[in-house]
Amino acid sequence: MNGGLLVAGTTSDAGKSVVTAGICRWLVRQGVKVAPFKAQNMSLNSFVTREGAEIGRAQTMQAQACRVEPTALMNPVLLKPGGERSSQVVLLGKPVGEMTARGYHGGRQERLLGTVLDSLAELRGVYDAVICEGAGSPAEINLRRTDIVNMGIARGAGLPVLIVGDIDRGGVFASFFGTVALLAPEDQALVAGFLVNKFRGDVSLLEPGLDMLHGLTGRRTYGVLPFRHGLGIDEEDGLRVSLRGTVRESVVAPPVGEDVLRVAVCAVPLMSNFTDVDALAAEPGVVVRFVDRPEELADADLVIVPGTRGTVRALEWLRERGLADGIARRVAEGRPVLGVCGGFQLLGEHIEDDVESRAGHVEGLGLLPVRVRFAREKTLTRPVGEALGERVEGYEIHHGVAEVLGGAPFLDGCRVGQTWGTHWHGSLESDGFRRAFLREVAAAAGRRFVPAPDTSFAALREEQLDRLGDLIEQHADTDALWRLIESGAPSGLPFVPPGAPA
């Protein structure tokens, strides 16, 4: 078998990432050696592979669904927004510079098509099947000429295309029809059919519409996936995406101790890897919320300042909103504060930034004895260490280099009283360390909170991926899906006018 499939969508957030992960998990349970692929991802949620390459978190989770180690080939182009109009371009896991959207779509993107096709071909040479995820919609007619992630990759690699539509938003039939009808004949020939996502109610009421859609387009529907709470994985961006994730919508067990523990996460601009707090939210009795007002810090037992692609901008935002003063008061009172990556940097004494913001010398919050200098070379590592008597694994993605001038060692950063700082993302996914850290926080906060002794974050992730595989197996036509992956789009699919504009 040397199969492939592109999972496209009628819109952003239609469920492409989830469906791709579900298909991957279903296939691997059938004994298929499968890998995920996304030619181009735009996200501030990223991960570091074992070879030191930076890729999107969604492809990392999809690799986990495939039970394989993630590599840079699975996400050859990653765009990390740095503002409204520019992004850092990460090519095969390494940053190659900043670029405006106009500059990227004005020529650079087209030149990357060869790179992404070569990456896909290399994966297809190793795996039985590669399940690719598109981005946005394939019918973005203003961007088709430079497209390398939807129909550009499908046509370049001869991939059949499955279009996912979110029926919970409404208008799914018009979206399916309109998506096909705005594609060129050569692109339409690869669109095999549709997959309905997030359906609530009686499927028999939907079937007449699916029959009419087939009559209008000549294309079948490969499944109707029911709405399920807590089926999110690490996708691209947006708190709305994170907050609907597995650990926040699943049934949460009651606290083991007498009290809950309240965690407030500052919703800084250009927040990156806010998935760090998912492991906290997985703990029974831990309540996590994102905040943007100083009064919301008052009842928090722990305040987290997360990572950001704009450390200086986030620092200004905290001061403008009064959150900086609120955090300083907490530190003075000995109440727990944790800074991660960019959040750690802005807790320090000062920042020298001629790379990210080009602001030069900027005074930090002065809450940790740390000085930060931004280097042009990005640190991309997977460190392993020990803290609070427990083994810790993490990953680092940052330009800022921290000079620690005092305090007690804490991972690669430091701790002064109940103020903690580290560059390590993902450290709270280490179960023993997370429990030890929460015990410290609870003691400092005066809460009778006790971490559950058996919460395994890795096991929760696996359960989640199995649920996605179950969804495909139980609600999609897997025989037809198998034929599509193995043999490509059916021949003779009709053209739906008017097609793409000239």
Side-chain angles (χ1 to χ4, degrees), residues 267-298:
V268 297
L270 297 174
M271 191 187 316
S272 61
N273 288 61
F274 51 79
T275 48
D276 283 339
V277 302
D278 283 348
L280 290 180
E283 286 285 347
V286 175
V287 180
V288 176
R289 67 182 189 271
F290 290 87
V291 304
D292 60 4
R293 298 193 302 269
E295 56 268 25
E296 294 177 295
L297 304 182

Side-chain angles (χ1 to χ4, degrees), residues 81-106:
E84 293 296 323
R85 297 186 179 182
S86 67
S87 294
Q88 183 181 65
V89 181
V90 179
L91 182 61
L92 290 172
K94 303 296 180 184
V96 294
E98 296 280 334
M99 188 165 288
T100 65
R102 181 177 292 276
Y104 185 65
H105 290 285

Side-chain angles (χ1 to χ4, degrees), residues 4-52:
L5 176 69
L6 175 69
V7 178
T10 56
T11 62
S12 294
D13 201 27
K16 297 183 291 290
S17 296
V18 168
V19 169
T20 300
I23 292 173
C24 287
R25 178 49 62 101
W26 162 65
L27 283 172
V28 82
R29 294 195 308 206
Q30 310 308 308
V32 177
K33 187 179 179 183
V34 60
F37 180 80
K38 186 164 186 173
Q40 173 191 293
N41 200 344
M42 177 173 278
S43 180
L44 287 171
N45 290 330
S46 58
F47 184 74
V48 179
T49 67
R50 293 208 180 277
E51 69 266 33

